[in-house]
Amino acid sequence: MTDRMDEAVDSPWVLRDYALIADGERGALIDPRGGIAWLCAPAWHSGAVFSGLLGGPGHYRVRPADPWHVWGGYYEDGTLIRVSRWVTSGGIISCREALAVPAETGRAVLLRQIRAVRGEAVVDVGLNVRAEHGRRAMTAVRHEDGLWRAHSGSLHLRFAGADGLRPCRDGGLRGELRLPEGAAHDLVLEIAAEPQDAPLRPRALWEATQRWWKAAVPDCADTAAPRDTRMAYAVLNGLTSAEGGMVAAATTSLPERADTGRDYDYRYAWIRDQCYAGIAVAAHGPHPLLDRAVRFVADRVLEDGAGLRPAYTVDGRALPAEHALPLVGYPGGGDRAGNRAGRQFQLDAFGEALQLFAAAARHDALDERAAAAARLAVGAVAERWTEPDAGLWELDERWWTHSRLSCVVGLRELAHHMRTRASADWSRLADRVLDTTRARCLHPEGHWQRSADDAGPEAALLLPLARGAVPPADASVRLTHGQVVRRLAEDGYVYRFRHGDEPLGDAEGAFLLCGLMTALSAHAQGHTAEALRWFERTRSACGPTGLFAEEYDVAQRQLRGNLPQAFVHALLLECSARFGRAPGGDASAGW
């Protein structure tokens, strides 16, 4: 092993090959050769300590010393405990990996357990923590009391199980581990904002992590796709902070299309995405993720009222403005942090919040604080529904149809499930919004169009229609669904909207969220076989790890955009929960 190996940045892999481990407060992407390609610490929106995904420095590698090997791996069912597996020329090596849970906001604990499954295992281990997106080298590196200790910027590091490693010229550590057949060896890396003295006991940390996942992810035998549904639950839990905020994705700056400038930072909590997740969970049962979503959204509504921002940090603060990072960037992508969406007005966020509160009320899970937030959100809709907004896709401010229909659904659902003296007023407000939207946004041919001034088709319209913005028998439901299928679907995948005269797939990939919306639309109309076709086709668009990105390049069968995309996993969970109901049940229950 040479110093050159320690200093080099690994070439990136295609997105489908990365696995995720996460603890709710931060998440790490693992490449097939055992490198931690991305981890921000101590929080989601902190600087990266391992930034190789974007061409930056910093690494934590556990990989076979034998270069002649093939890789594989799997998640332990219903968890984000990942087992990487390598078949070498001389045997089989595995590495069990997780971020320890229950997590602490200022302290990340990364667990790795190497096992010689067959034959002797020889693995290379290298560690170089580089905080603040690579700006801060490891300093004060020392070995004492059986632990390596160091700093990286303001972060405090402890590394257990690595006695045989030695310092190298880049400031990190490197070494080789040899294990006889059947043996296992634990490595524990702690990255903390404050000095720590708690013992780093691998067995206790693994046992606590296993217990946490067992409690966090419910049995999903009653769903259409139990294993994938449990995976969706695991991903949503892994992306959701103890404060309740759920990041849209673990990463930033992964391109939707090469060299187009569409590279965004998704390490923040979008109100809409949080609501999608909570509503999806409510479709299956009153699990803790529903309570956390309600708490986070209620707090934001109570704090900001009609000035609700579309997105926040997971601890409820305003998003930073977009700014460049000192990194090369993923091939074809940029290098930015922050997001301008934090300053937009997105009316549909209020509609989705109302739907979330209604879903909680259906499960008797709406406390007084959340009920107050619901009433405040109704007032915000009454005040602002006539204003142009940036909409679901965060475009220019227009009179987007989807935003209004989402509010109609939310008002009606809340009126039905809260049943207060104000319910009749909320229903009348829903009627007023719908009547005006119908007059402005219903196409002469009977289908709903994108906006008051854009007659084009829009896949996102299928979701509020499926959820009851108008009665299921209303002709506009069938006609809008037909428009989307004819004009925005190809080869079983669904696109958001048309970009001028460009063929589908040229301007952007298929939107997996939209494929699942189409499945829900078909199901709401009673077309079970069609719904399952859209569902199955869409859920095939993941990598070997089972993770979904925002977009899917159908021609190249590649994931596009930040990873993993929370709202895709949320809608997959919802579809699976609804489609798994016994035949003859109420298909509209829970809308």
Side-chain angles (χ1 to χ4, degrees):
M1 192 184 308
T2 67
D3 288 335
R4 183 175 180 82
M5 174 188 171
D6 289 290
E7 294 166 359
V9 175
D10 291 336
S11 296
W13 296 74
V14 292
L15 296 183
R16 67 187 180 206
D17 288 339
Y18 287 103
L20 170 79
I21 56 174
D23 63 8
E25 308 302 335
R26 75 288 294 173
L29 293 192
I30 305 172
D31 70 37
R33 292 195 63 204
I36 304 295
W38 183 255
L39 173 63
C40 296
W44 290 107
H45 50 271
S46 301
V49 296
F50 304 128
S51 54
L53 183 70
L54 301 186
H59 62 258
Y60 181 18
R61 303 174 184 135
V62 174
R63 61 178 54 163
D66 182 356
W68 191 252
H69 66 265
V70 294
W71 62 274
Y74 59 91
Y75 282 102
E76 295 180 5
D77 186 32
T79 76
L80 289 184
I81 299 173
R82 178 74 179 173
V83 180
S84 297
R85 188 173 184 271
W86 303 286
V87 180
T88 72
S89 59
I92 300 174
I93 304 170
S94 71
C95 186
R96 191 182 191 215
E97 300 163 301
L99 278 163
V101 282
E104 300 176 30
T105 55
R107 175 178 179 253
V109 179
L110 209 160
L111 308 176
R112 306 186 89 168
Q113 184 180 78
I114 307 159
R115 185 175 296 277
V117 179
R118 190 179 72 201
E120 182 186 41
V122 183
V123 296
D124 293 332
V125 178
L127 175 69
N128 189 357
V129 178
R130 297 290 296 266
E132 298 180 24
H133 298 299
R135 294 184 180 96
R136 305 298 181 188
M138 282 175 62
T139 59
V141 180
R142 61 204 185 276
H143 188 267
E144 54 189 37
D145 301 325
L147 293 174
W148 284 101
R149 300 173 187 268
H151 294 89
S152 180
S154 63
L155 299 178
H156 301 260
L157 314 177
R158 293 194 297 167
F159 192 26
D163 292 353
L165 273 61
R166 66 184 187 276
C168 51
R169 286 201 304 254
D170 64 4
L173 301 168
R174 68 177 189 186
E176 185 178 86
L177 293 177
R178 288 180 174 269
L179 304 178
E181 182 173 272
H185 184 85
D186 285 288
L187 298 170
V188 181
L189 174 64
E190 176 189 77
I191 304 173
E194 302 291 340
Q196 303 291 319
D197 56 12
L200 298 178
R201 297 193 178 102
R203 181 173 178 178
L205 291 166
W206 275 117
E207 289 176 350
T209 297
Q210 291 166 189
R211 286 195 302 271
W212 189 91
W213 281 111
K214 185 175 181 179
V217 176
D219 176 62
C220 298
D222 56 345
T223 65
R227 187 177 181 89
D228 280 2
T229 308
R230 286 172 62 78
M231 181 64 181
Y233 264 114
V235 169
L236 296 176
N237 270 289
L239 298 180
T240 303
S241 166
E243 296 290 330
M246 180 192 75
V247 293
T251 58
T252 180
S253 302
L254 297 185
E256 298 175 4
R257 269 293 184 271
D259 301 320
T260 59
R262 289 168 53 197
D263 318 309
Y264 306 107
D265 189 352
Y266 283 2
R267 299 171 299 149
Y268 307 110
W270 264 255
I271 295 295
R272 176 192 308 106
D273 298 15
Q274 189 94 53
C275 293
Y276 284 168
I279 292 166
V281 170
H284 187 231
H287 302 296
L289 273 177
L290 172 61
D291 295 333
R292 290 155 77 185
V294 169
R295 183 174 75 248
F296 183 82
V297 174
D299 286 348
R300 305 290 79 74
V301 172
L302 290 171
E303 289 171 8
D304 291 338
L308 181 72
R309 301 172 187 268
Y312 297 81
T313 61
V314 291
D315 53 3
R317 290 180 290 156
L319 269 55
E322 289 188 1
H323 57 280
L325 297 174
L327 304 172
V328 176
Y330 189 86
D335 58 344
R336 69 182 68 183
N339 199 298
R340 64 183 177 86
R343 300 187 298 276
Q344 291 181 340
F345 166 50
Q346 297 174 16
L347 176 66
D348 68 301
F350 288 104
E352 300 297 345
L354 292 175
Q355 293 176 53
L356 172 66
F357 296 143
R362 178 165 54 87
H363 285 293
D364 294 323
L366 195 72
D367 61 20
E368 283 302 316
R369 183 174 175 79
R375 291 189 289 270
L376 193 57
V378 171
V381 172
E383 177 184 339
R384 305 197 66 178
W385 71 269
T386 60
E387 298 178 28
D389 73 298
L392 167 65
W393 307 128
E394 299 174 350
L395 304 172
D396 53 315
E397 291 197 344
R398 294 161 74 175
W399 227 78
W400 298 108
T401 309
H402 168 270
S403 295
R404 276 84 201 157
L405 294 183
S406 296
C407 290
V408 171
V409 176
L411 289 165
R412 287 185 174 158
E413 285 288 293
L414 197 69
H416 177 71
H417 291 294
M418 278 190 67
R419 298 185 183 279
T420 71
R421 285 179 293 182
S423 293
D425 293 335
W426 301 345
S427 295
R428 282 191 290 270
L429 176 58
D431 291 341
R432 188 160 70 252
V433 175
L434 178 61
D435 290 345
T436 304
T437 307
R438 188 187 296 273
R440 298 188 63 177
C441 302
L442 190 69
H443 193 275
E445 294 181 0
H447 58 82
W448 294 94
Q449 59 189 46
R450 291 190 72 202
S451 69
D453 59 351
D454 186 340
E458 165 64 85
L461 291 170
L462 298 184
L463 188 60
L465 293 177
R467 287 182 171 161
V470 298
D474 190 300
S476 67
V477 176
R478 171 179 53 83
L479 293 171
T480 305
H481 183 92
Q483 277 281 309
V484 169
V485 170
R486 284 192 300 274
R487 300 185 60 190
L488 296 179
E490 192 172 86
D491 197 25
Y493 297 99
V494 183
Y495 296 77
R496 294 188 298 172
F497 49 81
R498 285 197 169 270
H499 294 261
D501 296 327
E502 291 186 73
L504 293 174
D506 280 12
E508 64 182 20
F511 257 66
L512 301 181
L513 179 74
C514 295
L516 297 169
M517 288 176 171
T518 307
L520 288 171
S521 173
H523 186 258
Q525 295 175 71
H527 305 317
T528 303
E530 181 191 355
L532 289 173
R533 284 199 301 271
W534 293 114
F535 174 65
E536 293 296 345
R537 188 60 160 160
T538 302
R539 81 181 179 109
S540 72
C542 62
T545 62
L547 301 178
F548 293 90
E550 185 174 39
E551 296 184 28
Y552 185 65
D553 186 318
V554 178
Q556 298 187 57
R557 299 185 185 272
Q558 296 283 7
L559 308 186
R560 304 292 187 211
N562 286 295
L563 184 77
Q565 191 73 32
F567 62 34
V568 179
H569 291 270
L571 265 288
L572 185 147
L573 192 163
E574 181 175 353
C575 284
S576 188
R578 295 191 186 282
F579 300 173
R581 291 200 178 99
D586 182 2
S588 66
W591 288 116

